[in-house]
Amino acid sequence: QVQLVESGGGLVQPGGSLRLSCAASGSSFSSYRMGWYRQAPGKQRELVATITSGDTTNYVTSVKGRFTISRDNGKNTVYLQMNSLKPEDTAVYYCNALTPGVFRWGQGTQVTVSS
């Protein structure tokens, strides 16, 4: 089972931006609908953005207009551009296919929004 590797997180002030990346080495996910999830301390993992193989995107209401999901199938990479970040966006961010069991969950990347 291929594992995904997320990167690009960090500490940012409210209103700032970050770009997250998710890569799968040795496997192509071009045919899968992919999603970015996040898990805040004490909360369940939440699906925040999805992208189909045909580049149709969907977002949870709380991030709509601020986050943009995209993919580069040639690089086996999915991105999440996050703008106008808020303290409530603080969480560990993960990516995975929406079909369960296709890829192993990665370690995630921590995003902290704080002044």
Side-chain angles (χ1 to χ4, degrees):
Q1 196 178 31
V2 175
Q3 186 165 4
L4 300 166
V5 178
E6 300 91 352
S7 62
L11 173 63
V12 63
Q13 291 187 342
S17 298
L18 284 173
R19 189 193 195 203
L20 308 184
S21 300
C22 169
S25 60
S27 179
S28 171
F29 53 48
S30 60
S31 62
Y32 295 104
R33 186 179 181 191
M34 298 294 294
W36 278 98
Y37 301 76
R38 67 185 180 187
Q39 187 166 20
K43 294 187 177 181
Q44 290 189 331
R45 189 172 292 175
E46 172 190 29
L47 178 62
V48 297
T50 65
I51 185 166
T52 67
S53 58
D55 289 341
T56 298
T57 60
N58 276 288
Y59 303 91
V60 69
T61 300
S62 60
V63 308
K64 199 171 294 185
R66 300 187 298 121
F67 290 11
T68 302
I69 187 172
S70 61
R71 65 194 301 162
D72 184 335
N73 292 329
K75 295 182 178 180
N76 274 344
T77 302
V78 178
Y79 304 98
L80 186 68
Q81 177 67 44
M82 306 187 296
N83 299 327
S84 302
L85 282 161
K86 303 176 181 181
E88 51 263 44
D89 295 319
T90 295
V92 179
Y93 283 72
Y94 306 84
C95 73
N96 212 326
L98 267 70
T99 303
V102 173
F103 301 110
R104 184 183 304 170
W105 288 95
Q107 294 299 306
T109 186
Q110 175 71 48
V111 172
T112 303
V113 185
S114 175
S115 55

